[in-house]
Amino acid sequence: MYSYMKSPRFNAIAESQKRKSIAIEEKGRRSELFGINVFNGKKMLQYLTKDALESLKGAMVSGSKIDRKIADQVAEAIKGWAITMGATHYTHWFQPLTGSTAEKHDAFFDLLPDGTALEKFGGGQLVQQEPDASSFPSGGIRNTFEARGYTAWDPSSPAFIYGTTLCIPTIFVSYTGEALDNKAPLLRALGAVDDAATAVAKYFDKTVTKVNATLGWEQEYFLIDKALAHSRPDIMMTGRTLVGETPAKGQQLDDHYFGVIPSRVLSFMSDLEKECTKLGIPVKTRHNEVAPNQFELAPVFEEANLAIDHNLLLMDVMDKIADKHQLKVLFHEKPFAGINGSGKHNNWSLATDTGVNLLSPGSTPMKNLQFLTFFINTIKAVDSYEELLRSSIASAGNDHRLGANEAPPAIFSIFVGSQLSNVLDELEGVSKGKLSPEEKTELKLNVVGKIPEILMDNTDRNRTSPFAFTGNKFEMRGVGAKMNCSKPMTILNTIVAKQLRDFKKEVDVLIDKKSLKKDEAVFNVLREYIKTSKRIRFDGDGYSTDWENEAKRRKLSNNKNTPEALEVLTSKNSIALFESMNVMSEIEVSARQEVDLENYIMHLQIEGRVYNELVYGYIMPAALEYQNKLIKNVSGLKEIYGAAHKKFSEGQLTMIEEIAEHVVGIKKMVDAMADARKKANSLKDTKKKAEAYCHNVKPYFVEIRMHSDKLEKLMDNNLWPLTKYRELLFIQ
């Protein structure tokens, strides 16, 4: 007999109800805590010599190489600071192609020949290490027996102390020089967009010497009690619920969004923000999201490379702080069916070293011409490479989220708002070639000059747009909550760099060969870009069938699943783009496609196995036990009433039949799914295997879930073995 008192589900519920929020002491101002565990500019001034400081700043700003003697000085300074902060170990902190971070800790410890112990950390340990590369995904770049790989210091992202370990942000490359991580291609893309954007910015301000891509991510996540999470094998193994009947109350009342933050959650958030502040992560915003038990955290904008490092560090800190508060963080893009999933909106812009946001309209026609130049070139870049940008957000988890419950669709389009659309339409009518003085005046006063007046109206939200202009930045909304932002940011900055480089070439030709003035040349090129990229602009509802048909007419891609979305990575166009911008070689691109496909396969394979475990170990035994109780009840009624028992047991008999149907159905589906998995696993080609999992294995998940959820509705609540949605989502 399934005991109510011994049920892991009810034990977990009882345990969760005993929880109390932990009091978090917050003394002093945030500004005083900010960056105390980071080797930032203030620490550099304190610990570095003048030569070392200048060399390090040069490496951070321009990427110049640091001399080995200087590296030794920097290492000694960082070691001295770290030891005073209680650090005992150091690690090269890098981003392998797993999507998360990796680290190997070494102690500040060595022995002299005479046996004397000392703390040691030199330039060699700072600049380079040699972790085993064979155990990380490489997509075929490295063989299993070829273990050598190198981590190399990234001076543009400051070292920090986490616990008792000094963490040094690094890139990760193979023995033969190919990038085995997500950071190296990102840094190359950021360098490319810096060069291209700086060259174009000089049309408007000769003093600009550098342009940084900036990023502000918005991290969405779910929080549930740790005991409840541990009671669900699917959550622990896959990060999401594979089965679960939708509760009577979900998010339909919109009462959670921006509501009062529950006390345990607020305590977690306060503790998290305190740790983030010490680590230099500039967290600023916190609030309830739309779905129950869903929340969001957002920082101040930063340079893109640093922002991504901070996001990866944040996710690790969130896990540790949540554990302290007896909570479990769910980063999966769709942990619960029927309610909103979690994204990580990437707010992207370009900023000059003179302090100007290139995507922010200005107070003069000249500043607005600069704004329009970068605004229209970004639109053109996305139009040219929309399918490639879609590939950057492809994953097994995100496939569940895109196109559902307010998440953007898989079709890439750009929302700019009706006001800016009108401006672009007016610019489209600019005369080709030289402009008359009257046309120039009218253009600058009536079109370019009026942009600041419409900014307030232009920032209206379109929640279904995958790529929206929101006043002074573009917001890429399709990025999944669990993702490393490096992938979409590498592609976005690469395509914008390519587009700006092409733009400058076209403008210079008109100036040099057609004798057009700079403004006229810029207007002429922008005019053509507005015409040729018109298809990507869409201000309507991305969910509608009409939009799907319209997108097809516009020849926009609609790659709804990961295998389809990743196909474009190795097209001739994509390879040419990455190679021409020196961001990735063909080998590196192919490797990433292979890794992403393998990752997709592994996720679905694990989910398939967990389904098998849930059905045979939990759902069917409980269903059969309840069915036996009903059969016993009917037998008892028959003993008492004989043939007349049917009028008293009609309901029970119907339920017995319904349970039997779903038990038979769920068993058939699980067994068929297992067979489909075996067939898929026998395929050697990774692309074909991924497609087999997508089209032949994954569809069974829907059928298995349907039977399970029907059984959950039919059965005695006390006998259902898995913690229910109403308990996962509404127990605070």
Side-chain angles (χ1 to χ4, degrees):
M1 190 76 173
Y2 199 89
S3 169
Y4 175 91
M5 293 305 294
K6 291 182 181 178
S7 161
R9 171 187 161 205
F10 289 107
N11 286 343
I13 293 169
E15 190 177 339
S16 70
Q17 289 176 333
K18 296 175 186 174
R19 313 283 198 210
K20 302 292 181 185
S21 59
I22 300 173
I24 303 300
E25 187 178 349
E26 292 197 65
K27 288 184 178 178
R29 299 178 180 179
R30 280 282 170 87
S31 57
E32 294 170 351
L33 271 183
F34 186 72
I36 64 169
N37 289 343
V38 181
F39 195 72
N40 53 22
K42 190 176 179 181
K43 312 295 190 319
M44 291 177 194
L45 282 170
Q46 185 179 351
Y47 283 90
L48 291 176
T49 64
K50 184 180 178 182
D51 287 346
L53 181 63
E54 287 179 0
S55 181
L56 184 53
K57 283 189 173 179
M60 293 170 70
V61 173
S62 62
S64 59
K65 193 172 182 180
I66 294 177
D67 180 81
R68 180 56 187 268
K69 287 183 180 179
I70 296 293
D72 284 334
Q73 291 179 34
V74 174
E76 189 62 34
I78 292 178
K79 182 193 76 175
W81 165 74
I83 289 173
T84 65
M85 295 293 291
T88 58
H89 289 69
Y90 66 92
T91 183
H92 276 203
W93 187 72
F94 58 102
Q95 304 173 28
L97 298 178
T98 57
S100 55
T101 59
E103 53 198 60
K104 181 189 76 170
H105 297 196
D106 285 303
F108 291 122
F109 179 78
D110 207 349
L111 289 175
L112 295 175
D114 63 1
T116 305
L118 76 164
E119 271 73 33
K120 184 179 179 183
F121 180 65
Q125 287 90 359
L126 171 66
V127 171
Q128 184 176 302
Q129 278 196 322
E130 191 180 319
D132 185 344
S134 64
S135 297
F136 292 105
S138 70
I141 288 178
R142 307 293 287 151
N143 292 311
T144 305
F145 60 85
E146 294 173 318
R148 186 168 287 181
Y150 296 109
T151 49
W153 178 32
D154 170 20
S156 64
S157 185
F160 58 91
I161 293 170
Y162 190 28
T164 58
T165 304
L166 171 68
C167 300
I168 303 153
T170 60
I171 62 169
F172 182 38
V173 297
S174 73
Y175 177 71
T176 46
E178 291 90 1
L180 294 174
D181 68 342
N182 288 303
K183 183 187 269 270
L186 172 72
L187 292 175
R188 297 169 191 163
L190 294 175
V193 83
D194 172 18
D195 291 343
T198 298
V200 173
K202 284 183 179 292
Y203 282 145
F204 310 98
D205 183 355
K206 297 288 186 187
T207 65
V208 173
T209 58
K210 184 173 179 60
V211 173
N212 282 321
T214 63
L215 173 64
W217 39 260
E218 302 168 30
Q219 181 69 60
E220 293 178 341
Y221 60 97
F222 281 83
L223 274 180
I224 58 174
D225 186 88
K226 187 164 75 170
L228 299 179
H230 284 193
S231 73
R232 292 282 306 226
D234 48 356
I235 289 177
M236 297 309 295
M237 298 297 288
T238 72
R240 74 179 183 106
T241 55
L242 299 182
V243 297
E245 173 62 18
T246 305
K249 180 181 184 293
Q251 65 186 48
Q252 61 266 51
L253 295 178
D254 295 325
D255 54 343
H256 188 66
Y257 191 53
F258 280 17
V260 176
I261 300 171
S263 59
R264 278 184 72 196
V265 176
L266 188 58
S267 178
F268 158 79
M269 288 177 168
S270 298
D271 204 357
L272 173 65
E273 288 178 2
K274 188 177 178 182
E275 290 305 309
C276 286
T277 303
K278 291 178 183 178
L279 289 164
I281 305 172
V283 291
K284 186 177 177 67
T285 303
R286 65 189 187 197
H287 62 81
N288 290 3
E289 255 302 332
V290 175
N293 275 4
Q294 187 186 32
F295 307 94
E296 183 180 295
L297 176 151
V300 176
F301 278 55
E302 297 181 282
E303 184 274 325
N305 177 42
L306 182 58
I308 291 167
D309 279 358
H310 279 164
N311 180 248
L312 292 168
L313 178 58
L314 169 97
M315 292 168 77
D316 187 43
V317 175
M318 285 177 78
D319 277 332
K320 288 181 170 61
I321 299 294
D323 191 63
K324 173 182 169 183
H325 289 257
Q326 301 298 310
L327 294 165
K328 173 75 175 172
V329 183
L330 301 183
F331 290 115
H332 194 284
E333 286 80 4
K334 196 75 171 177
F336 302 100
I339 59 175
N340 276 18
S342 295
K344 180 149 51 191
H345 297 180
N346 278 208
N347 294 279
W348 171 89
S349 192
L350 295 169
T352 69
D353 57 348
T354 58
V356 174
N357 178 351
L358 294 171
L359 287 174
S360 183
S363 54
T364 66
M366 179 56 75
K367 288 179 179 177
N368 283 332
L369 181 56
Q370 176 177 267
F371 156 70
L372 285 169
T373 295
F374 287 92
F375 176 67
I376 294 167
N377 270 284
T378 302
I379 293 172
K380 175 66 174 171
V382 175
D383 176 65
S384 299
Y385 295 100
E386 47 88 17
E387 194 172 10
L388 188 59
L389 207 53
R390 161 67 181 100
S391 75
S392 74
I393 57 170
S395 74
N398 219 19
D399 280 359
H400 295 289
R401 168 179 166 260
L402 294 177
N405 298 93
E406 292 192 7
I411 305 165
F412 253 79
S413 64
I414 297 179
F415 167 82
V416 300
S418 58
Q419 301 276 6
L420 275 175
S421 282
N422 291 338
V423 170
L424 296 182
D425 290 342
E426 288 187 58
L427 280 171
E428 193 179 339
V430 173
S431 297
K432 192 172 183 179
K434 291 189 176 182
L435 305 177
S436 67
E438 293 78 19
E439 285 177 315
K440 268 193 172 186
T441 303
E442 185 178 345
L443 185 67
K444 287 188 175 180
L445 292 180
N446 296 340
V447 180
V448 182
K450 71 182 183 183
I451 290 173
E453 298 171 21
I454 65 171
L455 251 187
M456 190 175 294
D457 294 326
N458 182 58
T459 57
D460 190 24
R461 305 287 257 180
N462 179 331
R463 294 184 69 88
T464 66
S465 174
F467 203 86
F469 184 72
T470 54
N472 58 2
K473 61 190 182 298
F474 281 99
E475 184 176 10
M476 189 170 171
R477 298 199 183 113
V479 185
K482 196 177 179 181
M483 289 183 172
N484 183 334
C485 300
S486 291
K487 289 167 69 177
M489 285 298 103
T490 295
I491 289 181
L492 178 59
N493 284 289
T494 301
I495 64 175
V496 170
K498 173 70 164 61
Q499 180 52 50
L500 288 171
R501 193 171 76 174
D502 292 348
F503 169 77
K504 187 173 188 303
K505 285 180 183 175
E506 290 184 56
V507 170
D508 287 349
V509 165
L510 292 180
I511 293 171
D512 297 339
K513 296 186 178 179
K514 300 290 183 180
S515 300
L516 294 186
K517 291 185 177 178
K518 181 185 68 181
D519 288 6
E520 291 173 326
V522 168
F523 278 130
N524 271 267
V525 177
L526 292 181
R527 168 180 170 272
E528 292 307 308
Y529 287 173
I530 291 167
K531 287 180 180 179
T532 56
S533 64
K534 209 164 186 175
R535 66 168 190 158
I536 201 73
R537 283 161 40 204
F538 177 69
D539 293 349
D541 180 9
Y543 296 133
S544 69
T545 306
D546 289 344
W547 167 232
E548 284 207 15
N549 294 332
E550 173 63 14
K552 189 175 182 180
R553 188 190 68 77
R554 297 186 188 196
K555 296 184 179 177
L556 293 171
S557 67
N558 185 13
N559 297 322
K560 293 186 177 181
N561 60 64
T562 294
E564 285 178 10
L566 293 176
E567 187 68 30
V568 71
L569 272 175
T570 48
S571 69
K572 287 183 180 179
N573 228 17
S574 298
I575 298 295
L577 166 74
F578 290 121
E579 290 190 331
S580 69
M581 303 309 295
N582 296 314
V583 170
M584 283 187 282
S585 66
E586 183 173 357
I587 291 172
E588 289 171 322
V589 176
S590 298
R592 276 151 184 77
Q593 183 188 60
E594 183 80 6
V595 167
D596 286 346
L597 287 170
E598 286 177 351
N599 193 43
Y600 177 81
I601 292 164
M602 290 301 110
H603 271 86
L604 293 189
Q605 188 180 88
I606 291 167
E607 288 190 352
R609 288 173 174 170
V610 174
Y611 267 119
N612 200 85
E613 181 184 340
L614 289 177
V615 169
Y616 280 107
Y618 292 79
I619 296 165
M620 279 178 55
L624 293 173
E625 181 176 347
Y626 184 53
Q627 188 183 51
N628 285 336
K629 285 182 74 174
L630 292 172
I631 291 169
K632 190 175 180 181
N633 176 264
V634 172
S635 296
L637 289 171
K638 188 175 181 180
E639 272 186 43
I640 296 170
Y641 297 105
H645 81 283
K646 289 187 178 179
K647 67 178 180 180
F648 302 115
S649 58
E650 185 179 348
Q652 295 94 309
L653 288 167
T654 301
M655 290 177 69
I656 289 167
E657 288 177 10
E658 288 179 355
I659 289 170
E661 286 174 9
H662 291 301
V663 166
V664 169
I666 201 168
K667 186 182 185 306
K668 279 184 178 178
M669 291 298 103
V670 168
D671 292 347
M673 181 264 292
D675 288 340
R677 271 197 358 252
K678 287 176 186 175
K679 288 178 183 176
N681 290 338
S682 69
L683 298 172
K684 302 298 181 186
D685 184 88
T686 308
K687 289 181 184 178
K688 288 179 180 176
K689 186 185 286 190
E691 287 166 359
Y693 263 93
C694 180
H695 301 299
N696 303 336
V697 177
K698 190 179 174 184
Y700 285 112
F701 295 178
V702 179
E703 295 296 319
I704 295 166
R705 180 170 200 137
M706 182 275 293
H707 287 298
S708 174
D709 293 355
K710 293 287 186 184
L711 286 169
E712 183 182 333
K713 284 177 75 174
L714 283 169
M715 282 180 54
D716 180 349
N717 178 58
N718 290 338
L719 291 179
W720 187 252
L722 300 169
T723 307
K724 296 189 174 187
Y725 268 31
R726 67 166 186 263
E727 295 148 358
L728 291 167
L729 292 169
F730 293 100
I731 291 178
Q732 301 296 341

